[in-house]
Amino acid sequence: MSLTADGPGRRRRGATLEKALLDATWEELVEKGYDGLTIESVAERAQTARAVIYRRWPGKPELVRAAIAHAGLNETVPVPDTGSLRGDLIEALRSASRRRAPMLALFLSARIAGFYEDTGTTLADLRGEFLAGRVSLVDSILDRAVERGEADPARLTPRVRSLAFDLMRHELLLTHRAVPDDVIVSIVDEVVLPLVVAR
């Protein structure tokens, strides 16, 4: 039976095989960190051969970068619809904080420092890889608020649009823990809404 088989007479190919390889890489990265991850360990977890991996990615840095992008694309990010801009922003920040705190802790830990050294990338680059190809959650919320007449489109510069999540990320960077609810409410009520609400 082939090492890439899922069962008797069946072989994984194309997107199915690639997903299995990237899922295995992400799991190895989370469990062992970058330095502990090897092509051999990924192949073993994915039940395939090293050559199958090397046909798609030339080495560990490229494989890990692809796995990070894959994990980001597969993260389900529902757009909240509470009926108000304030409610939507608070719910979006709560949800993002819960999901992102463990991921950010990984990206900031010494367990992934080798990736930064091998690739010359930064945390911002890694975040870009993770979020690539996704519709902006905050843009969806703000655009809907404009349609409802809650937000002034003239005030929604790129910096203002990103402010709520930038401030949440700052809190995550400082604490490596999910952002407390009172801080999220403060970000929305004291900083974001005064900047974006229609006058």
Side-chain angles (χ1 to χ4, degrees):
M1 182 172 71
S2 166
L3 285 171
T4 59
D6 289 323
R10 292 190 300 162
R11 286 174 57 89
R12 292 173 294 174
R13 302 187 194 284
T16 300
L17 175 57
E18 186 163 306
K19 180 182 183 307
L21 296 171
L22 294 175
D23 286 345
T25 304
W26 179 254
E27 290 162 9
E28 287 286 305
L29 183 65
V30 170
E31 286 183 18
K32 301 177 181 176
Y34 181 78
D35 290 338
L37 179 152
T38 65
I39 298 296
E40 291 80 2
S41 67
V42 171
E44 183 177 345
R45 186 181 285 264
Q47 299 181 347
T48 190
R50 288 179 300 168
V52 173
I53 297 172
Y54 282 120
R55 279 199 293 271
R56 289 162 175 79
W57 301 281
K60 183 165 82 167
E62 295 82 8
L63 175 61
V64 167
R65 188 186 297 272
I68 289 168
H70 172 74
L73 283 172
N74 284 282
E75 184 188 48
T76 302
V77 186
V79 180
D81 189 3
T82 66
S84 73
L85 173 58
R86 180 181 187 272
D88 289 352
L89 284 174
I90 289 173
E91 186 53 40
L93 290 174
R94 284 173 177 158
S95 176
S97 175
R98 288 192 302 267
R99 290 192 322 271
R100 300 273 169 80
M103 179 271 293
L104 189 60
L106 170 66
F107 287 177
L108 288 171
S109 73
R111 293 165 58 232
I112 202 168
F115 176 79
Y116 297 127
E117 293 171 9
D118 284 355
T119 61
T121 57
T122 65
L123 176 60
D125 297 326
L126 211 55
R127 175 180 170 270
E129 295 284 346
F130 189 79
L131 297 176
R134 297 203 335 221
V135 175
S136 168
L137 178 65
V138 72
D139 282 344
S140 298
I141 290 171
L142 290 172
D143 291 344
R144 190 167 55 201
V146 169
E147 292 173 6
R148 289 193 302 245
E150 289 183 273
D152 180 355
R155 300 166 68 84
L156 296 178
T157 65
R159 177 68 66 191
V160 169
R161 281 180 174 270
S162 69
L163 184 59
F165 283 85
D166 288 346
L167 291 173
M168 183 201 70
R169 267 191 302 277
H170 177 72
E171 292 290 329
L172 287 171
L173 286 167
L174 289 177
T175 66
H176 295 196
R177 293 191 299 271
V179 180
D181 205 58
D182 63 314
V183 175
I184 287 173
V185 171
S186 174
I187 288 171
V188 173
D189 286 348
E190 297 174 28
V191 182
V192 180
L193 289 181
L195 287 174
V196 306
V197 293
R199 293 179 177 175

